[in-house]
């Protein structure tokens, strides 16, 4: 009887471990849900796409600027995406630029 009981207990251990880890996981999820809004911004790793509509003339000028800039800095290519990313990064830390952009936005509205 002892051998059979040991076998049953031994066979049940993985299921018990899965259940316990599931219980821990559920508890962790519940505690994580409480701060989900704050954590969502810090835990997301996949970039979020933004798009912009440009006039054909502005698009052509941006492409020319990108080509000239790539040549000047010795890069194979500079894309509009690269430029937009750099502009947003700078906008978020440069208060003088942020004020100028706000002024531009109020003029264009």
């Amino acid at each position: 009887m002892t051998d059979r009981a040991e076998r049953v207990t031994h066979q049940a251990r993985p299921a018990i471990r899965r259940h316990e880890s599931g219980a821990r996981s559920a508890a962790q999820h519940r505690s994580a849900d409480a701060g989900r809004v704050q954590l969502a911004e810090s835990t997301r790793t996949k970039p979020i796409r933004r798009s912009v509509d440009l006039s054909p003339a502005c698009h052509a000028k941006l492409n020319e600027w990108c080509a000239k800039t790539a040549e000047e800095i010795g890069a194979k290519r500079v894309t509009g995406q690269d430029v937009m990313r750099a502009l947003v990064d700078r906008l978020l830390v440069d208060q003088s630029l942020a004020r100028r952009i706000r002024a531009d936005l109020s003029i264009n509205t």
Side-chain angles (χ1 to χ4, degrees):
M1 173 111 175
T2 306
D3 291 338
R4 185 173 189 280
E6 288 175 359
R7 275 196 311 259
V8 170
T9 303
H10 182 70
Q11 290 170 347
R13 281 190 186 138
I16 292 169
R17 279 192 222 113
R18 282 194 303 272
H19 174 72
E20 288 172 349
S21 70
R24 279 194 304 269
S25 180
Q28 290 167 346
H29 287 303
R30 280 192 298 276
S31 66
D33 286 345
R36 187 181 333 163
V37 174
Q38 294 142 347
L39 294 177
E41 292 178 17
S42 63
T43 58
R44 184 179 173 102
T45 57
K46 183 178 178 185
I48 299 169
R49 180 167 295 277
R50 291 278 183 131
S51 60
V52 60
D53 295 326
L54 302 174
S55 69
C58 186
H59 183 263
K61 288 178 183 178
L62 177 60
N63 283 343
E64 289 174 23
W65 188 90
C66 288
K68 287 178 186 175
T69 299
E71 188 177 313
E72 286 176 17
I73 66 172
K76 286 184 179 180
R77 180 177 176 205
V78 171
T79 66
Q81 181 85 12
D82 297 328
V83 174
M84 298 306 288
R85 196 176 299 115
L87 284 170
V88 170
D89 288 345
R90 178 65 58 99
L91 173 70
L92 297 176
V93 297
D94 186 333
Q95 293 304 311
S96 174
L97 176 61
R99 279 192 296 275
R100 290 184 293 188
I101 296 300
R102 285 187 193 104
D104 290 347
L105 291 171
S106 66
I107 289 170
N108 294 329
T109 5

